[in-house]
Amino acid sequence: MSEKWAAKNIPNLSGKVFTVTGANSGIGFETAKEFARKGVKNILASRNLDKAEKASVKIEKEIPDTAVEIMLFDLASLDSINSFATEFKKKYDHLDVLVNNAGIMMVPYQKTALSFL
Ligand SMILES: NC(=O)c1ccc[n+]([C@@H]2O[C@H](COP(=O)([O-])OP(=O)(O)OC[C@H]3O[C@@H](n4cnc5c(N)ncnc54)[C@H](OP(=O)(O)O)[C@@H]3O)[C@@H](O)[C@H]2O)c1
């Protein structure tokens, strides 16, 4: 029988630039943490900078040789998404992986803010 996949099977990803959306908690947090363990430069794309700061401290405490970056990003606002992309492009010339994790379920109907269009 083949071995079950586990995070330890992730290969070395040193030098790669990844962005995980919604990494303050849950699946996104664990994903960013395991990538950090494998050498990824993580950018946590978060709508709540206080929560993101706490998440980054937890990751850096567990994996001391990593440096997590936080950038403001609210999927409910196209202005915010646009600003994120603009800021990202000022700092980095490429992105290796985008993990589109942020999301919520079972919420009241709401429209995305569209002001920059
Ligand atoms: N857990 C499950 O069983 C399950 C099943 C099916 C699908 N999923 C999906 O998997 C993903 C992660 O789930 P999870 O259980 O880990 O959820 P979670 O712990 O609630 O984490 C969701 C993350 O998404 C962020 N987020 C929500 N709306 C956002 C927005 N408008 N802009 C930016 N960030 C936003 C939250 O930010 P804040 O910290 O600011 O709230 C949080 O960091 C979600 O997309 C969820 O719908 C989960």
Side-chain angles (χ1 to χ4, degrees):
M1 199 168 73
S2 62
E3 190 190 349
K4 274 191 178 172
W5 188 89
K8 66 178 168 52
N9 300 120
I10 299 171
N12 184 348
L13 296 168
S14 294
K16 301 288 184 192
V17 179
F18 285 18
T19 292
V20 183
T21 69
N24 295 345
S25 59
I27 297 165
F29 174 78
E30 295 300 327
T31 300
K33 190 174 71 179
E34 295 310 322
F35 286 154
R37 216 184 289 287
K38 297 296 178 171
V40 160
K41 167 67 188 176
N42 267 312
I43 294 109
L44 308 189
S46 173
R47 63 179 174 176
N48 183 320
L49 298 182
D50 288 339
K51 284 167 92 174
E53 180 62 30
K54 289 192 178 96
S56 73
V57 167
K58 272 166 79 177
I59 293 172
E60 288 171 356
K61 203 170 167 190
E62 190 167 329
I63 305 144
D65 59 349
T66 196
V68 177
E69 184 169 347
I70 296 163
M71 288 177 66
L72 188 61
F73 169 87
D74 185 350
L75 265 179
S77 160
L78 293 186
D79 278 340
S80 175
I81 296 167
N82 198 36
S83 298
F84 174 88
T86 302
E87 288 306 305
F88 184 92
K89 286 195 284 186
K90 282 184 196 165
K91 291 183 175 177
Y92 298 96
D93 62 6
H94 75 287
L95 175 65
D96 291 296
V97 169
L98 170 64
V99 181
N100 269 317
N101 162 77
I104 42 177
M105 295 193 293
M106 307 291 284
V107 289
Y109 180 74
Q110 190 184 342
K111 287 187 174 175
T112 303
L114 293 170
S115 66
F116 89 94
L117 292 177

